[in-house]
């Protein structure tokens, strides 16, 4: 690898691809754009995988005030190279009530600053070194045994693909600029309004301002565009970045829509102000942009790309300085303008935002929060079921049915959401968590059916046949129900925990203790069967059915706990195996 690095400049200087005819040039242009978009997509994906959970921790902890939120947004976006990815994470934190809307607006302003790093990097014109990056990245990726190093190799390869795409675009434009139709088309871009529109449309189509600006740099660098025309294109490209977020937010909840609306407001209003200012003071802007590179950061050959990168950076930093003091007021206005959606379901999920699907780690956290809410509903159902079935009136039993239907509605939404997550590229850890959640949701649904359907039917049967449950039997069934409730609460602790850890203070329900209660109840039922009572068979059958449903409820609760232990054992991030051994030993009796 050292030999490759030493020989890189010599290799790069001789590296040349020249399109001989305009059909080849068009193929080169389209191929270059394809490489550019593909490289940016893979670079963002690799950066996100490399940074992992740390980015979420940083966003959640370092956004307590506007300045830190702004800087955090800029830093995180500079790492993942995608303002859209940062916005998705922000929406996830708002939905989880871990971040307020004003804080999120500061992060969004910072994310726009973070995106300027890519354009600044492109402006250094490292295109000739593209294959060097690809080769080094491939070697690192192929030889790595650690997942983090493997992702680092992906990042380096993706950077090389981006530069190779820009190289192809520049080489193709060198030939296409001689075509009359190309000259005539590009000459019209000098119109300020048309340049803004073209920049907007180009970015909207490519769904990447970095890719659009890379093309602007390549065209301007060939001498086809003036700096002033390039500036208007920069404004249009910045406005075009809003489209992706706006389209994605259409299926989002109101928090996602407010974040997307704020982003659009910042970009469009900022572009309007800069348009007027540059139109009036064109000469002053151009002169000062040129002087920014007088310090020697750029050679004359690189001056034009650097000036365009500076335009992009100044625009986004200015927006942050302009709007950061007013984020509270802007958030207040957006909250009034964008109301809550009408519920599509009997019970509407609170955290399941489709805006998060493209970032699986956040989507899984949202699903976990929703599953915890479902678990709480099942616990409430468990508390009310036994009294209603043993001695409740028809109205009490009807309430059980309503609760069960609400849980069913929530179950359908969670399962569908988990199915959407499963279509994404998941890490090994994310796949484990997804399966764990799927198992938990299904078991909670089974418990809900046992309580709200099968025990409900038993209660209706008791009412219809006017069966009286004896006091001793009532006590035993209540004891079994209490044990089931404790087991359900214990197994639900892991779901409600953000870190998926069992509560240290929680004490598992002893399997043998439950078995003793069960044996005692069954022996009592045997005595009831031989008792001299005209309805003893009906009563025995009904009471045994109740005991059976409670036994199955306890079984599902225990399986949820075991599923959590299996998850903890398999998670890559878990280092302390002794903790697992201790937990496993503690649950041997559970």
């Amino acid at each position: 690898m050292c030999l490759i690095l030493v020989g890189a400049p010599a290799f790069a200087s001789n590296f040349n691809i020249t399109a001989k005819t305009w059909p080849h040039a068009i193929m080169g242009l389209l191929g270059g754009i394809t490489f550019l978009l593909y490289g940016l997509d893979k670079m963002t994906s690799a950066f996100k995988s490399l940074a992992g959970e740390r980015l979420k921790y940083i966003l959640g902890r370092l956004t307590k005030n506007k300045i830190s939120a702004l800087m955090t947004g800029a830093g995180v976006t500079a790492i993942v190279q995608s303002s859209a990815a940062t916005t998705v994470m922000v929406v996830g934190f708002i939905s989880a009530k871990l971040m307020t809307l004003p804080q999120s607006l500061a992060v969004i302003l910072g994310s726009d600053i973070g995106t300027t790093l890519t354009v600044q990097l492109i402006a250094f014109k490292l295109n000739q070194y593209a294959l060097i990056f690809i080769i080094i990245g491939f070697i690192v990726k192929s030889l790595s045994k650690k997942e983090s190093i493997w992702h680092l190799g992906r990042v380096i390869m993706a950077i090389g693909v981006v530069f190779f795409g820009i190289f192809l675009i520049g080489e193709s434009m060198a030939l296409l600029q001689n075509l009359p139709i190309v000259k005539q088309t590009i000459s019209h871009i000098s119109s300020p309004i048309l340049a803004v529109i073209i920049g907007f449309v180009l970015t909207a189509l490519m769904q990447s301002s970095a890719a659009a600006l890379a093309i602007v740099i390549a065209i301007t660098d060939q001498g086809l565009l003036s700096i002033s025309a390039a500036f208007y294109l920069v404004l249009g490209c910045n406005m075009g970045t809003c489209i992706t977020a706006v389209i994605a937010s259409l299926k989002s909840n109101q928090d996602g829509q407010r974040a997307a609306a704020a982003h659009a407001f910042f970009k469009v209003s900022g572009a309007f102000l800069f348009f007027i200012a540059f139109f009036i003071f064109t000469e002053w802007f151009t002169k000062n942009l040129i002087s920014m590179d007088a310090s020697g950061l750029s050679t004359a050959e690189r001056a034009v790309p650097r000036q365009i990168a500076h335009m992009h950076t100044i625009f986004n930093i200015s927006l942050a300085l302009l709007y950061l003091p007013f984020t509270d007021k802007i958030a207040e206005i957006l909250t009034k303008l964008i109301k809550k959606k009408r519920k599509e379901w009997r019970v509407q999920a609170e955290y399941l935002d489709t805006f998060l699907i493209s970032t699986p780690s956040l989507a899984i956290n949202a699903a976990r929060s929703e599953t915890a809410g479902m678990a709480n509903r099942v616990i409430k159902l468990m508390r009310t079921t036994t009294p209603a079935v043993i001695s409740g009136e028809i109205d009490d039993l009807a309430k059980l049915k309503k609760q069960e239907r609400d849980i069913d509605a929530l179950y359908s939404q969670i399962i569908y959401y988990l199915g959407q997550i499963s279509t994404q590229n998941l890490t090994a850890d994310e796949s484990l968590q997804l399966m764990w959640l799927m198992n938990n949701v299904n078991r909670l649904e089974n418990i809900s059916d046992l309580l709200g359907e099968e025990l409900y039917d038993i209660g209706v049967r008791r009412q219809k046949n006017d069966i009286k449950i004896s006091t001793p039997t009532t006590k035993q069934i209540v004891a079994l129900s209490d044990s089931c409730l404790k087991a359900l609460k214990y197994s639900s602790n892991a779901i409600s925990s953000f870190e998926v850890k069992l509560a240290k203070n929680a004490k598992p329900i002893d399997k043998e203790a439950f078995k003793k209660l069960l044996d005692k109840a069954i022996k009592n039922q045997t005595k009831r069967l031989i008792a001299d009572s005209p309805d003893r068979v009906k009563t025995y059958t009904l009471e045994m059915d109740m005991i059976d449903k409670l036994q199955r409820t306890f079984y599902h609760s225990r399986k949820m706990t075991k599923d959590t232990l299996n998850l903890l054992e398999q998670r890559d991030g878990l280092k302390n195996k002794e903790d697992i051994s201790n937990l496993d030993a503690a649950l041997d009796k559970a």
Side-chain angles (χ1 to χ4, degrees):
M1 187 177 292
C2 292
L3 290 173
I4 292 174
L5 290 171
V6 171
F11 174 77
S13 62
N14 294 322
F15 175 57
N16 188 29
I17 297 176
T18 304
K20 300 296 183 182
T21 62
W22 67 265
H24 290 94
I26 291 176
M27 283 193 294
L29 176 63
L30 295 177
I33 292 172
T34 303
F35 275 114
L36 176 61
L37 291 173
Y38 180 79
L40 286 170
D41 179 64
K42 291 303 177 183
M43 184 167 65
T44 298
S45 174
F47 267 127
K48 284 163 65 177
S49 300
L50 184 62
E53 299 288 321
R54 286 167 290 187
L55 291 183
K56 292 188 294 178
Y57 176 83
I58 291 170
L59 269 177
R61 301 292 180 183
L62 302 181
T63 55
K64 301 306 179 185
N65 60 67
K66 292 179 181 180
I67 302 299
S68 64
L70 179 77
M71 296 176 67
T72 302
V76 169
T77 307
I79 293 171
V80 300
Q81 289 298 293
S82 172
S83 59
T86 305
T87 303
V88 166
M89 285 189 272
V90 166
V91 171
F93 280 114
I94 298 173
S95 298
K97 306 296 186 292
L98 299 173
M99 185 184 293
T100 63
L101 186 59
Q103 285 175 326
S104 74
L105 300 190
V107 175
I108 289 170
L109 286 170
S111 71
D112 289 332
I113 296 175
T115 58
T116 63
L117 179 64
T118 307
V119 182
Q120 289 286 354
L121 189 64
I122 290 171
F124 275 109
K125 293 188 68 177
L126 301 175
N127 309 344
Q128 294 283 347
Y129 295 87
L131 295 183
I132 302 299
F133 281 100
I134 293 173
I135 293 168
I136 294 174
F138 179 77
I139 292 173
V140 172
K141 184 169 167 283
S142 300
L143 299 180
S144 63
K145 294 182 179 179
K146 292 180 65 176
E147 188 177 5
S148 59
I149 303 299
W150 187 80
H151 286 306
L152 178 62
R154 288 177 60 209
V155 170
I156 298 171
M157 276 191 73
I159 291 173
V161 172
V162 168
F163 284 132
F164 185 69
I166 296 169
F167 174 81
L168 286 179
I169 293 169
E171 291 296 308
S172 301
M173 287 306 302
L175 178 64
L176 289 175
Q177 64 178 314
N178 296 319
L179 294 177
I181 189 172
V182 174
K183 284 185 176 181
Q184 188 177 3
T185 302
I186 294 177
S187 66
H188 290 304
I189 299 179
S190 57
S191 168
I193 295 178
L194 185 59
V196 171
I197 293 172
I198 290 173
F200 177 85
V201 172
L202 185 63
T203 305
L205 290 175
M206 302 182 79
Q207 296 191 11
S208 170
S209 61
L213 286 168
I215 293 174
V216 172
I217 288 173
I219 294 174
T220 310
D221 198 34
Q222 294 294 329
L224 299 174
L225 279 175
S226 64
I227 286 294
S228 59
F231 181 82
Y232 292 118
L233 281 167
V234 168
L235 293 181
C237 290
N238 274 279
M239 290 170 62
T241 58
C242 311
I243 295 299
T244 304
V246 169
I247 292 174
S249 71
L250 294 178
K251 295 182 179 180
S252 175
N253 61 18
Q254 66 273 11
D255 291 321
Q257 291 178 352
R258 288 165 187 161
H263 191 215
F265 169 73
F266 294 147
K267 291 289 191 179
V268 174
S269 60
F272 177 75
L273 294 175
F274 264 76
F275 183 92
I276 295 173
F278 188 77
F279 189 78
I280 298 172
F281 305 106
T282 303
E283 187 177 343
W284 182 86
F285 268 95
T286 306
K287 180 181 177 182
N288 282 276
L289 281 169
I290 292 173
S291 67
M292 288 184 71
D293 277 300
S295 60
L297 281 175
S298 301
T299 63
E301 183 187 14
R302 295 176 180 173
V304 172
R306 300 293 301 149
Q307 288 168 34
I308 295 173
H310 294 333
M311 293 175 191
H312 182 54
T313 302
I314 291 169
F315 174 78
N316 285 288
I317 291 176
S318 299
L319 289 191
L321 296 175
L322 178 63
Y323 289 118
L324 189 62
F326 306 107
T327 50
D328 291 335
K329 190 64 179 177
I330 294 170
E332 183 182 335
I333 294 170
L334 287 171
T335 303
K336 291 179 180 178
L337 291 176
I338 302 176
K339 304 292 185 181
K340 288 188 176 181
K341 293 180 179 179
R342 291 179 61 186
K343 291 185 177 181
E344 299 176 5
W345 293 77
R346 179 188 184 94
V347 173
Q348 187 69 45
E350 185 178 357
Y351 301 104
L352 306 184
D353 194 341
T354 54
F355 201 62
L356 306 177
I357 294 294
S358 60
T359 308
S361 60
L362 289 177
I364 288 171
N365 285 333
R368 183 191 294 121
S369 298
E370 205 63 63
T371 305
M374 180 181 175
N376 288 333
R377 286 178 179 271
V378 176
I379 289 170
K380 288 178 183 178
L381 178 61
M382 181 82 237
R383 286 197 184 101
T384 57
T385 295
T386 302
V389 173
I390 291 175
S391 58
E393 301 296 329
I394 289 295
D395 289 345
D396 299 320
L397 292 168
K399 290 177 182 177
L400 298 183
K401 197 68 175 175
K402 180 183 180 301
Q403 285 178 277
E404 192 273 334
R405 286 174 180 168
D406 289 345
I407 293 169
D408 274 351
L410 208 53
Y411 168 78
S412 298
Q413 295 171 72
I414 296 173
I415 286 295
Y416 177 74
Y417 193 77
L418 292 175
Q420 288 182 302
I421 297 173
S422 68
T423 63
Q424 304 296 308
N425 290 325
L426 304 178
T427 63
D429 183 56
E430 288 167 351
S431 296
L432 288 172
Q433 290 189 68
L434 184 69
M435 291 304 301
W436 170 74
L437 276 174
M438 193 78 76
N439 289 336
N440 274 291
V441 172
N442 285 323
R443 293 199 184 282
L444 287 170
E445 167 63 8
N446 288 331
I447 293 172
S448 173
D449 287 344
L450 286 167
L451 301 175
E453 286 189 1
E454 298 187 35
L455 278 171
Y456 162 82
D457 290 338
I458 292 171
V460 171
R461 224 165 70 214
R462 174 190 61 78
Q463 275 276 337
K464 184 178 179 180
N465 297 314
D466 196 26
I467 296 174
K468 304 294 182 184
I469 308 297
S470 68
T471 301
T473 302
T474 297
K475 289 181 179 178
Q476 289 164 0
I477 290 175
V478 168
L480 286 171
S481 178
D482 288 342
S483 292
C484 289
L485 182 60
K486 289 178 183 177
L488 182 58
K489 284 181 177 179
Y490 180 73
S491 62
S492 299
N493 282 338
I495 303 173
S496 57
S497 171
F498 190 77
E499 297 297 331
V500 203
K501 291 180 181 177
L502 292 172
K504 291 181 180 179
N505 297 329
K507 194 172 182 181
I509 306 303
D510 188 75
K511 178 183 175 182
E512 295 302 320
F514 183 83
K515 192 173 184 301
K516 287 179 182 178
L517 289 174
L518 187 64
D519 289 342
K520 188 176 179 181
I522 292 173
K523 285 179 182 178
N524 178 68
Q525 288 308 110
T526 303
K527 293 177 182 178
R528 292 269 286 161
L529 183 62
I530 61 175
D532 186 15
S533 172
D535 294 327
R536 64 182 183 275
V537 175
K538 285 185 179 179
T539 304
Y540 170 82
T541 303
L542 185 137
E543 291 173 351
M544 283 302 296
D545 281 349
M546 290 180 65
I547 292 169
D548 174 64
K549 308 312 176 197
L550 292 173
Q551 183 181 7
R552 287 164 60 189
T553 298
F554 185 80
Y555 164 80
H556 284 299
S557 298
R558 284 182 56 241
K559 286 297 292 180
M560 286 169 64
T561 300
K562 290 292 185 182
D563 287 343
T564 299
L565 280 177
N566 290 335
L567 173 70
L568 290 170
E569 288 173 347
Q570 295 176 64
R571 290 194 75 188
D572 295 335
L574 189 63
K575 302 298 182 185
N576 192 347
K577 297 296 181 182
E578 291 183 3
D579 287 349
I580 287 296
S581 300
N582 294 337
L583 281 170
D584 209 1
L587 285 162
D588 274 343
K589 297 181 179 181

